[in-house]
Amino acid sequence: LRVTFLDNHDVPRFLAEARAGTPGAELEARYVLALALLYTLPGIPQVYMGDELGMIGAPPDHRRDMPAWAFTAEGREKAAGTPGYVPRPAHVFSVVQRLAALRRRHGALVDGGYDELHRPAGGANSFAFLRRQGPEAVLVVVHDGAAGLPLSVPVGSAFADGTALEDGLDEGGPPRVVVRGGRVEIGRTGRFAAVYAPAVPR
């Protein structure tokens, strides 16, 4: 598998490419979607130092040292609003942790097959795909918050009708959806990323 990344030492950081004046909260929200895709699309995700904090910088500032506050949960929480980072570095760190945990939990996200399910031309900026390995299937849905909802995502035979799917990422998507007629309907508004797998019986 190829290595995939958002940033490296040779280019401006992903977050530095946004239009000047983009609000910090908007940068952070977009970055969460980018991280979700990095960890769930085919490939081996590479996290360049500072990515896990939402570090912003263009050359030569893109290679600066990790801040002392990065190494503890308390430090990351207190760093909210620090210039040169998204508004909530602790939130980005938590997203990276959850995405890494999802890859450990679901082998399909590591080296499973890939089937694109939903990417409309024009209109809504939304994307859905399936990762499958043997009997395991994982559905990933990303939506930028613009018009275009509800999404109707065809999952075919990946999940039996009536299967309840639960979101393991918790970044704005519906926490639970149900497969009906070979499709999943998602009516949640706003920007979100979700990683769905069959609910575990409790």
Side-chain angles (χ1 to χ4, degrees):
L1 292 174
R2 67 186 182 277
V3 173
T4 56
F5 53 85
L6 299 178
D7 296 318
N8 68 30
H9 62 284
D10 288 325
V11 296
R13 288 185 179 268
F14 179 90
L15 288 164
E17 299 283 4
R19 182 177 302 167
T22 301
E26 176 75 9
L27 289 178
E28 183 176 322
R30 293 180 188 178
Y31 196 54
V32 167
L33 301 190
L35 287 168
L37 292 173
L38 175 68
Y39 272 84
T40 57
L41 284 167
I44 302 168
Q46 172 183 289
V47 176
Y48 179 53
M49 62 104 178
D51 283 355
E52 69 274 44
L53 304 171
M55 187 184 287
I56 305 169
D61 192 42
H62 64 311
R63 298 184 182 184
R64 67 183 182 273
D65 292 341
M66 290 285 280
W69 51 258
F71 300 98
T72 66
E74 181 182 17
R76 293 186 294 271
E77 288 289 349
K78 288 184 175 179
T82 299
Y85 299 85
V86 297
R88 300 178 298 162
H91 175 232
V92 171
F93 192 89
S94 171
V95 170
V96 170
Q97 285 183 311
R98 280 177 272 143
L99 287 165
L102 284 167
R103 284 179 66 89
R104 287 194 300 271
R105 188 179 313 147
H106 301 293
L109 292 176
V110 176
D111 54 10
Y114 168 82
D115 294 301
E116 187 172 301
L117 303 177
H118 176 85
R119 180 169 54 170
N125 192 5
S126 54
F127 188 31
F129 55 91
L130 195 69
R131 301 295 308 277
R132 194 189 304 206
Q133 182 183 58
E136 182 186 46
V138 178
L139 171 66
V140 179
V141 183
V142 175
H143 182 66
D144 80 340
L149 293 175
L151 302 180
S152 181
V153 180
V155 296
S157 61
F159 309 103
D161 269 13
T163 300
L165 305 177
E166 291 186 344
D167 174 26
L169 183 56
D170 191 25
E171 282 299 318
R176 187 179 178 97
V177 296
V178 178
V179 179
R180 302 192 190 283
R183 307 184 77 86
V184 169
E185 305 290 336
I186 299 177
R188 178 69 55 90
T189 59
R191 181 180 281 113
F192 68 84
V195 181
Y196 291 107
V200 177
R202 294 183 174 86

